[in-house]
């Protein structure tokens, strides 16, 4: 078991800021801390995973983690980092999202570990009976408008405009901390570095409501972790198709595994520290081994294995690993025919109607007009002209056989009676399934 939470965060590069006295509090006794998650989608994504890992390490170090699913705050939306106000979600949608997120959090935190068992709370439970006048008296009275306007999340929006609803968000989040402090003995709130303003609003409300005595300042604490960025400083966590979700229905285990497997060498040391449970010695050994043979992508494989196994399952990892290796096997055609159906089904399959394929005149029409994404946009080539050029440049193959004639008719043998493997160059592989 880990023992010192702050030391663990320091070597992992996961400590951005903390209030004075935080480390002393954690070394003194088992402490309860929480992180809030807004149910604005039916799934958490890998941006959330960085803060989930804060709670995970917190529990591994012997402390008690709380995950707050914001049924109330989710009705408003946090203005932090947003250029415009969010669309309001219906109560029904929010409830569905909350239930989905709870199931995901249960994969990471131990809810049956005795004294430091994780707990899940929903701020709608204490706000649903709270009248507007009660809130003004219990929350609004304790912060000045000047204090609230000094927060970065507000200042950045003043030029474009911020509604009173979003302006009040920090009051709601601040009151959450106060409620948990009073009712659950929660002493620490954690989150991403962009949440520092909202978190310290909570410590300020606690300080003022509890009398403002000097010792009160040391009863509630704040800690943030850096936002994860790529080595070049750009935002991390999105693929070509958007957010990388933890829900397999929104990002398949294969897509999820591929995302980590395709990480740049320069990003891997940071990603291994933030997103995996490997210890310092293991990560440093992986870095050394990788440096000796970068082409083997040792860091990426270790990263993809750990995160995919914990977010999905060991079985899912084994299937997607086999599926991934299958596509680059020298004997891919033979292997594709023999492999288990679940491995084929795990791949990113592009579905094409058999009828459309049968009625297609030639390979150019097929590649340019039938291989489309869910929005009806071309996946491999944007036009017939682009397709012809690629074929004439000898960079297209079907079932590992080069296609040299743009007007070639569709007389290919379907693998497993229902699939084609299309290669565009050496790295781009597409699996077509006929339905």
């Amino acid at each position: 078991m880990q023992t010192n939470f702050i030391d663990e965060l320091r070597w992992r590069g996961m400590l951005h800021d903390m209030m004075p006295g935080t480390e002393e509090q954690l070394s003194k006794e088992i402490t309860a801390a929480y992180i809030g998650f807004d149910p604005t989608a039916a799934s958490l994504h890998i941006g959330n995973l960085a803060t989930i890992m804060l709670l995970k390490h917190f529990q591994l170090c012997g402390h008690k983690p709380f995950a707050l699913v914001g049924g109330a705050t989710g009705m408003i939306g946090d203005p932090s980092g947003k250029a415009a106000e969010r669309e309001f979600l219906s109560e029904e949608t929010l409830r569905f999202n909350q239930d989905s997120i709870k199931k995901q959090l249960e994969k990471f935190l131990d809810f049956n570990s005795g004294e430091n068992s994780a707990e899940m709370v929903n701020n709608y439970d204490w706000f649903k009976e709270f009248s507007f006048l009660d809130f003004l008296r219990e929350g609004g009275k304790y912060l000045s408008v000047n204090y609230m306007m000094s927060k970065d999340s507000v200042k950045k929006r003043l030029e474009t405009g911020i509604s009173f609803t979003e302006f009040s968000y920090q009051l709601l989040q601040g009151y959450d901390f106060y409620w948990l402090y009073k009712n659950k003995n929660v002493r620490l709130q954690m989150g991403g570095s962009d949440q520092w303003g909202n978190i310290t609003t909570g410590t300020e409300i606690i300080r003022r409501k509890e009398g403002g005595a000097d010792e009160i300042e040391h009863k509630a604490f704040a800690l943030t972790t850096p936002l994860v960025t790529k080595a070049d400083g750009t935002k991390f966590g999105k693929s070509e198709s958007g957010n990388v979700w933890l829900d397999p229905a929104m990002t398949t285990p294969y897509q999820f595994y591929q995302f980590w497997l395709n990480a740049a060498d320069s990003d891997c040391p940071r990603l291994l520290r933030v997103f995996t449970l490997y210890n310092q010695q293991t990560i440093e050994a992986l870095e050394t081994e990788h440096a000796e043979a970068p082409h083997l992508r040792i860091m990426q494989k270790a990263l993809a294995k750990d995160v995919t196994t914990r977010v999905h399952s060991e079985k899912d990892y084994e299937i997607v690993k086999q599926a991934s290796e299958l596509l680059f096997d020298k004997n891919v055609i033979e292997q594709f025919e023999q492999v288990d159906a679940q491995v084929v089904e795990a791949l990113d399959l592009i579905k094409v109607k058999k009828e459309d394929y049968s009625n297609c005149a030639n390979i150019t029409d097929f590649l340019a007009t039938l291989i489309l994404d869910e929005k009806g946009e071309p996946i491999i080539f944007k036009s017939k002209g682009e397709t012809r050029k690629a074929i004439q440049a000898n960079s297209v193959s079907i079932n590992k056989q080069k296609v040299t004639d743009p007007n070639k008719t569709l007389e290919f043998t379907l693998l497993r009676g229902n699939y084609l493997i299309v290669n565009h160059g050496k790295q781009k592989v597409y699996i077509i399934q006929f339905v």
Side-chain angles (χ1 to χ4, degrees):
M1 178 184 282
Q2 301 163 3
T3 54
N4 191 303
F5 177 62
I6 302 300
D7 284 348
E8 186 71 19
L9 295 189
R10 282 194 178 110
W11 80 257
R12 289 183 180 273
M14 292 176 69
L15 181 63
H16 184 267
D17 207 350
M18 63 177 172
M19 287 183 65
T22 304
E23 191 166 6
E24 290 78 1
Q25 167 62 33
L26 296 177
S27 62
K28 184 173 65 175
E29 60 189 357
I30 292 178
T31 302
Y34 88 98
I35 292 177
F37 301 91
D38 270 354
T40 48
S43 171
L44 299 173
H45 50 72
I46 60 173
N48 303 124
L49 188 55
T51 51
I52 294 173
M53 293 303 292
L54 272 183
L55 288 179
K56 179 67 175 176
H57 288 298
F58 192 71
Q59 187 172 38
L60 287 173
C61 289
H63 298 293
K64 184 176 180 66
F66 280 78
L68 183 149
V69 180
T73 40
M75 291 182 173
I76 293 175
D78 183 0
S80 302
K82 300 292 182 290
E85 190 158 357
R86 298 180 184 182
E87 293 289 327
F88 285 161
L89 300 177
S90 69
E91 288 188 41
E92 183 181 7
T93 300
L94 283 166
R95 278 195 298 272
F96 176 82
N97 292 352
Q98 290 160 30
D99 290 341
S100 300
I101 289 170
K102 283 181 182 178
K103 290 174 185 174
Q104 290 179 343
L105 289 171
E106 286 168 355
K107 285 189 169 186
F108 299 93
L109 303 174
D110 189 344
F111 288 81
N112 187 29
S113 59
E115 194 174 7
N116 75 326
S117 294
E119 286 190 37
M120 212 168 298
V121 290
N122 182 346
N123 59 10
Y124 186 70
D125 291 339
W126 54 87
F127 277 124
K128 63 185 176 185
E129 304 297 339
F130 219 166
S131 75
F132 180 64
L133 291 176
D134 286 340
F135 182 65
L136 290 179
R137 291 171 63 90
E138 292 296 321
K141 171 178 168 42
Y142 293 92
L143 292 181
S144 70
V145 171
N146 308 58
Y147 176 89
M148 294 173 70
M149 288 181 67
S150 70
K151 301 296 183 180
D152 285 342
S153 60
V154 172
K155 283 196 293 188
K156 290 176 182 176
R157 286 284 299 282
L158 286 177
E159 293 180 11
T160 57
I162 183 170
S163 68
F164 176 77
T165 302
E166 281 198 319
F167 181 62
S168 68
Y169 183 92
Q170 62 175 294
L171 268 177
L172 291 171
Q173 185 171 329
Y175 191 85
D176 283 343
F177 195 176
Y178 172 74
W179 191 94
L180 289 168
Y181 171 82
K182 292 293 286 184
N183 294 278
K184 297 287 187 179
N185 196 31
V186 171
R187 307 292 296 277
L188 171 66
Q189 184 184 171
M190 303 187 290
S193 58
D194 60 338
Q195 290 294 310
W196 181 256
N198 287 335
I199 294 173
T200 53
T201 295
T203 62
E204 184 67 6
I205 288 177
I206 291 169
R207 186 182 72 82
R208 295 188 180 194
K209 283 180 72 67
E210 293 295 290
D214 289 341
E215 66 270 15
I216 297 298
E217 293 184 29
H218 303 292
K219 288 189 176 181
F221 304 92
L223 182 149
T224 57
T225 191
L227 299 180
V228 182
T229 57
K230 296 180 182 178
D232 62 6
T234 58
K235 189 172 182 179
F236 171 81
K238 289 186 181 289
S239 65
E240 290 180 9
S241 56
N243 279 327
V244 179
W245 302 98
L246 307 189
D247 186 331
M250 298 169 72
T251 297
T252 68
Y254 178 79
Q255 292 167 337
F256 188 85
Y257 176 77
Q258 287 292 318
F259 175 83
W260 301 101
L261 201 61
N262 291 323
D265 285 1
S266 55
D267 293 327
C268 283
R270 172 123 173 84
L271 300 182
L272 283 165
R273 284 162 174 75
V274 173
F275 291 104
T276 78
L277 289 175
Y278 298 130
N279 61 30
Q280 187 171 5
Q281 183 180 3
T282 300
I283 291 175
E284 289 173 354
L286 286 168
E287 290 169 335
T288 301
E289 195 178 350
H290 182 98
E292 293 171 355
H295 65 284
L296 296 179
R297 302 183 70 75
I298 289 166
M299 286 194 296
Q300 285 89 343
K301 289 175 181 176
L303 174 65
K305 176 181 180 179
D306 181 86
V307 185
T308 304
T309 298
R310 286 185 299 108
V311 170
H312 296 293
S313 70
E314 189 169 351
K315 180 181 178 183
D316 284 324
Y317 162 70
E318 293 296 343
I319 290 172
V320 298
K321 176 176 178 284
Q322 192 175 350
S324 181
E325 292 171 349
L326 170 68
L327 296 186
F328 296 97
D329 192 298
K330 291 180 180 178
N331 301 315
V332 60
I333 303 303
E334 180 182 337
Q335 292 295 325
F336 194 89
E337 293 281 14
Q338 297 175 359
V339 78
D340 286 347
Q342 61 183 354
V343 175
V344 174
E345 290 163 5
L347 292 163
D348 267 345
L349 300 173
I350 302 169
K351 300 183 187 300
V352 173
K353 290 182 180 178
K354 272 187 178 177
E355 183 181 358
D356 292 342
Y357 177 71
S358 301
N359 294 331
C360 199
N362 55 48
I363 186 66
T364 297
D365 285 0
F366 171 60
L367 295 176
T369 66
L370 293 188
I371 302 180
L372 310 172
D373 63 18
E374 293 176 353
K375 297 178 181 178
E377 299 292 327
I379 294 175
I380 306 179
F381 300 111
K382 294 179 181 178
S383 66
K384 292 183 182 181
E386 187 180 313
T387 308
R388 291 190 190 96
K389 285 181 182 178
I391 292 173
Q392 290 163 350
N394 211 31
S395 66
V396 176
S397 66
I398 305 290
N399 292 347
K400 288 298 181 180
Q401 298 297 313
K402 288 289 183 184
V403 178
T404 56
D405 179 7
N407 297 313
K408 177 178 174 59
T409 55
L410 302 175
E411 298 172 346
F412 302 102
T413 300
L414 300 185
L415 302 175
R416 304 174 79 101
N418 215 31
Y419 300 87
L420 286 178
I421 298 178
V422 179
N423 282 74
H424 177 209
K426 292 182 178 180
Q427 296 300 319
K428 296 180 179 178
V429 187
Y430 307 89
I431 311 297
I432 315 302
Q433 180 187 30
F434 298 100
V435 293

